[in-house]
Amino acid sequence: MGTSAKATARELLGRALGFRDCRPETLDALIAAGHSRALGKNELFLTRGDPFDMLCLVVEGSLEVSLLRHDGRRHLISYLQPGDLVGLMCLIDGQGHVNDLRARHSTTVLLVPGDDIRRQRLLDPMLGPAFERQLVFRSRLLYERLSADPSMPLDARLARLLHLLIGLYGRPSEGGTVLLDMKVSQSDLADWLGASRQRINFVIQQLERDGLISLRYSAITIVDPAGLANKAKG
């Protein structure tokens, strides 16, 4: 990984939930210890149950998180974007990875060996809580999906998803707006919520007309965070 890519990885890790509270020298050491891996489009990166004693940072591209059902069909869980982390649970319990990961298109990841993570945890008391914050937030996302009422209007379900994503990807912008620091298409949102792209397109236009969000070239801006939170209540 070149100097510019390492700089990008350092910037992303410095913005990650929990990790942004660690000492700068801790994050510098993690990036320095890491090595890059390039993944081609649709390349399988990890399979459920694979041993994985590393912390993985998505630097460029995107990873699809899914599980293979007994009938052979894919169950889409989420998408990982630049700045997202992989391997937190494996580093804590030493067991295999919990799902399948596949590159959606050309993707670069930074892999930090587990020994380096454990060494830094002894030196920086904030690194352990960084893991906790990441895992708790992801658990909330998962529980939110599991508890989502299918009878709830799709605009409310989308608002709930976007409201949750603010906690992980939200970056304050001009005029009190919040930019989701991720690239997500209408097709992605449709797969995420189990709806058709046509229905998602209609709902996005509705939320835009209501002045709650703006979607331009796969970049989502939350124009009215308070209004979106209210819409999320259904």
Side-chain angles (χ1 to χ4, degrees), residues 5-150:
K6 284 260 186 175
T8 299
R10 175 61 178 83
E11 180 183 356
L12 290 169
L13 189 61
R15 294 205 306 257
L17 181 68
F19 286 81
R20 56 192 175 219
D21 300 320
C22 295
R23 298 186 305 183
E25 53 266 36
T26 299
L27 303 185
D28 292 340
L30 294 179
I31 297 299
H35 64 276
S36 66
R37 177 174 170 182
L39 303 168
K41 182 178 180 180
N42 295 324
E43 181 178 345
L44 183 64
F45 174 45
L46 282 174
T47 301
R48 176 179 170 84
D50 283 350
F52 192 68
D53 187 34
M54 293 185 179
L55 182 68
C56 169
L57 172 70
V58 181
V59 180
E60 294 179 336
S62 179
L63 295 174
E64 173 190 294
V65 184
S66 64
L67 291 173
L68 190 65
R69 294 173 173 169
H70 290 295
D71 60 4
R73 297 178 61 188
R74 179 194 68 163
H75 174 57
L76 178 65
I77 298 174
S78 65
Y79 297 110
L80 299 180
Q81 308 290 333
D84 281 334
L85 295 156
V86 177
L88 298 165
M89 292 179 64
C90 301
L91 286 167
I92 291 174
D93 64 16
Q95 298 187 41
H97 202 258
V98 296
N99 42 44
D100 299 336
L101 293 178
R102 186 181 298 275
R104 300 174 62 204
H105 37 78
S106 296
T107 297
T108 302
V109 297
L110 180 76
L111 301 172
V112 183
D115 287 343
D116 291 283
I117 299 294
R118 288 182 283 273
R119 187 178 303 114
Q120 291 300 322
R121 285 189 67 172
L122 296 175
L123 300 174
D124 189 342
M126 295 307 297
L127 190 53
F131 274 58
E132 294 172 0
R133 291 202 65 185
Q134 285 275 334
L135 291 171
V136 167
F137 185 83
R138 294 178 188 195
S139 295
R140 288 191 178 277
L141 283 176
L142 178 60
Y143 291 142
E144 177 64 25
R145 290 195 62 181
L146 292 174
S147 63
D149 185 350

Side-chain angles (χ1 to χ4, degrees), residues 160-176:
R160 290 178 71 172
L161 174 61
L162 296 177
H163 182 65
L164 282 170
L165 292 177
I166 289 174
L168 187 57
Y169 300 107
R171 189 169 61 183
S173 189
E174 299 177 358

